[in-house]
Structure formats: C-alpha cells, structure tokens
C-alpha cells in the first residue's frame, strides 16, 4: 500500500514570485510519481510525471519536480508564477508493478495574488 | 485529444433514489476509474475497471456499484442515495495501465447533491 502527504492545503504567493508545493510519499514498493492540476470548474489533467531516468522532470508551462528517493519526496517548483497558475495541485503515486491504482494526495490550492 | 465525458455536470437527487452516473471515453482505453473528490480529502478511488465486464473495488466502494458492458462506457450506480454521498464525482480513463505508467485522463466531474 502507498500513501501521499501534501502538508500544505493552501499556498498564497504573489505573482512572479517562486513557489514550492510539497509532496511526500510512503510505499513498500517502487512507485511512479505524478503531479496533476485542476483549474477551476475543470477535471484534473497531468502536469508532469516521473517514471525513471533523470530525477528532475519538467512540464511545458515552467513547472519542475525532483524525485528524491532518500527523502521520499517529489516537490513541485516554479521560479516565477503567473495568475493563470491559480489552481489545485495533486501529487499522486502508483506502484510500478501490477494494475494501475493511483493514490492521490489531498491537494494544495495555489492562489496567485496580483 | 482524449475526451472523457460525463453525463451531467450537476445532479440533485433525493435520499433513497437510485442514481446512475455515466462516463464515456473516446480513446479506446482499457482502464476506467471512478473517484469522489471532497474538500480536504482529495480524490478517493471508488471502483476501477481494466477490461469490459471486469471491475475492482477501490478504497471506498461501500454504497456504490459499477457496470462496464462496453469498453468506452463505465457507469457508477448509487443503489440508494444518501446525504453522505453528496460529492464531486470524477471519471478517468487510461491506456493499458499495467505498471502504472499511463496518464489518467479525467472528465469534468459531476457534482451530486443528495437531499
């Protein structure tokens, strides 16, 4: 079984400031890691994922996340946020073997302040 | 683009009613999922299906059932709706899915209110 912890339920940040959304996971097996984003009144969509290889993964809109196995973390960062980044962000994990069962964290609402 | 559609965006039902939530995907995905989303609890898996007529219980299956008669359609059934089933329901689908590498594609959600 696996679990995901997102300690920050809300993160307010000023426009153009950097942001880090924290994610820690627990699992007895190897996992794949994901960040999904949910814009207001929409379903979730994949932001980025770590499967293997380089521990630093990037999205097309400037977010990046680094897999840290020793700290069991997969924090999401962006050096300069925009108003359009206002959304709820979900960290998720899935075991590398067997059928896909994804466990989601409780979400972090990012509020970008003009 | 993958498209996952859900039959209703908003639904209001009375306690004890039988409720059907429908989900359709157009990308020939093997896997389909039903989640409920509640503030502070994130997404919790209700049921998933990895093939037609196959289903697996998720973390919170009590009070729900599912049906998958065709590959593109996955239905969630509330046999006797209760007020504690008031929630946002999200459907998702993914290709293949063995090993967990595949992206899940989500529908827009159905906000169900049970009075």
């Amino acid at each position: 079984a696996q679990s995901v912890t997102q300690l920050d339920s809300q993160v307010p940040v000023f426009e153009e400031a950097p942001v880090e959304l924290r994610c820690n996971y627990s699992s007895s097996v190897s996992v794949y890691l994901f960040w999904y984003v949910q814009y207001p009144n929409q379903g979730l969509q994949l932001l980025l994922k770590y499967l293997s290889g380089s521990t630093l993964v990037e999205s097309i809109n400037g977010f990046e996340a680094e897999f840290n196995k020793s700290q069991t973390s997969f924090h999401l960062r962006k050096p300069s946020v925009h108003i359009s980044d206002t959304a709820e962000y979900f960290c998720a994990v899935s075991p590398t073997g067997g059928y896909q069962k994804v466990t989601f964290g409780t979400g972090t609402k990012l509020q970008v302040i003009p | 683009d993958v498209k996952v559609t859900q039959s209703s965006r908003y639904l209001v039902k009375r306690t004890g009613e039988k409720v059907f939530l429908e989900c359709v995907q157009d990308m020939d995905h093997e896997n389909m999922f039903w989640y409920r989303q509640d503030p502070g609890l994130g997404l919790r898996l209700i049921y998933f299906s990895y093939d037609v007529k196959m289903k697996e219980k998720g973390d919170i299956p009590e009070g729900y059932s599912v049906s998958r008669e065709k590959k593109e359609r996955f239905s969630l059934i509330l046999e006797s709706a209760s007020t504690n089933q008031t929630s946002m329901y999200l459907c998702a689908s993914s290709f293949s899915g063995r090993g967990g590498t595949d992206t899940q594609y989500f529908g827009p959600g159905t906000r169900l209110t049970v009075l």
Side-chain angles (χ1 to χ4, degrees):
Chain A
Q2 59 266 358
S3 65
V4 179
T5 301
Q6 292 182 251
L7 287 174
D8 304 309
S9 59
Q10 294 191 51
V11 174
V13 62
F14 286 105
E15 193 173 15
E16 298 184 5
V19 70
E20 178 180 83
L21 306 183
R22 296 180 294 168
C23 172
N24 289 90
Y25 70 92
S26 173
S27 178
S28 56
V29 299
S30 296
V31 295
Y32 298 124
L33 295 152
F34 307 82
W35 275 100
Y36 284 82
V37 58
Q38 185 178 33
Y39 297 105
N41 299 314
Q42 295 185 26
L44 278 72
Q45 59 190 84
L46 181 72
L47 187 62
L48 48 77
K49 62 182 178 182
Y50 170 79
L51 304 179
S52 64
S54 172
T55 57
L56 184 66
V57 290
E58 299 177 353
S59 73
I60 58 173
N61 58 352
F63 282 93
E64 64 179 30
E66 186 160 18
F67 170 51
N68 188 319
K69 189 174 182 180
S70 62
Q71 297 186 5
T72 60
S73 68
F74 191 55
H75 300 330
L76 182 70
R77 302 182 181 94
K78 190 171 185 180
S80 176
V81 295
H82 301 135
I83 293 289
S84 59
D85 294 323
T86 295
E88 189 159 18
Y89 292 80
F90 292 89
C91 183
V93 301
S94 176
T96 59
Y99 291 108
Q100 184 185 35
K101 182 185 172 184
V102 180
T103 300
F104 287 84
T106 52
T108 298
K109 288 186 178 177
L110 174 63
Q111 183 184 6
V112 180
I113 304 164
Chain B
D1 282 351
V2 175
K3 192 167 186 181
V4 179
T5 57
Q6 296 183 227
S7 51
S8 305
R9 289 301 301 270
Y10 300 94
L11 207 54
V12 179
K13 295 292 181 181
R14 296 204 176 275
T15 302
E17 281 192 79
K18 190 169 186 176
V19 182
F20 293 87
L21 302 183
E22 304 284 340
C23 176
V24 178
Q25 50 94 4
D26 67 357
M27 281 301 291
D28 203 34
H29 284 170
E30 286 82 2
N31 293 339
M32 296 189 74
F33 309 82
W34 275 107
Y35 296 91
R36 63 177 283 176
Q37 181 180 13
D38 299 288
L41 298 178
L43 275 71
R44 292 179 290 168
L45 181 65
I46 304 171
Y47 269 97
F48 67 101
S49 169
Y50 50 86
D51 201 352
V52 176
K53 297 190 185 292
M54 305 299 286
K55 60 184 180 184
E56 291 282 343
K57 291 180 179 179
D59 299 317
I60 52 165
E62 296 78 20
Y64 304 94
S65 62
V66 291
S67 172
R68 191 162 180 207
E69 297 296 320
K70 293 184 178 181
K71 192 174 186 180
E72 68 271 17
R73 188 180 298 270
F74 192 35
S75 301
L76 179 69
I77 303 155
L78 286 66
E79 296 291 341
S80 178
S82 63
T83 55
N84 62 12
Q85 292 178 311
T86 291
S87 185
M88 171 70 84
Y89 290 88
L90 294 173
C91 175
S93 71
S94 69
F95 180 68
S96 181
R98 290 180 184 268
T101 63
D102 296 290
T103 300
Q104 292 196 7
Y105 294 87
F106 285 82
T110 296
R111 186 167 294 282
L112 172 67
T113 302
V114 182
L115 302 176

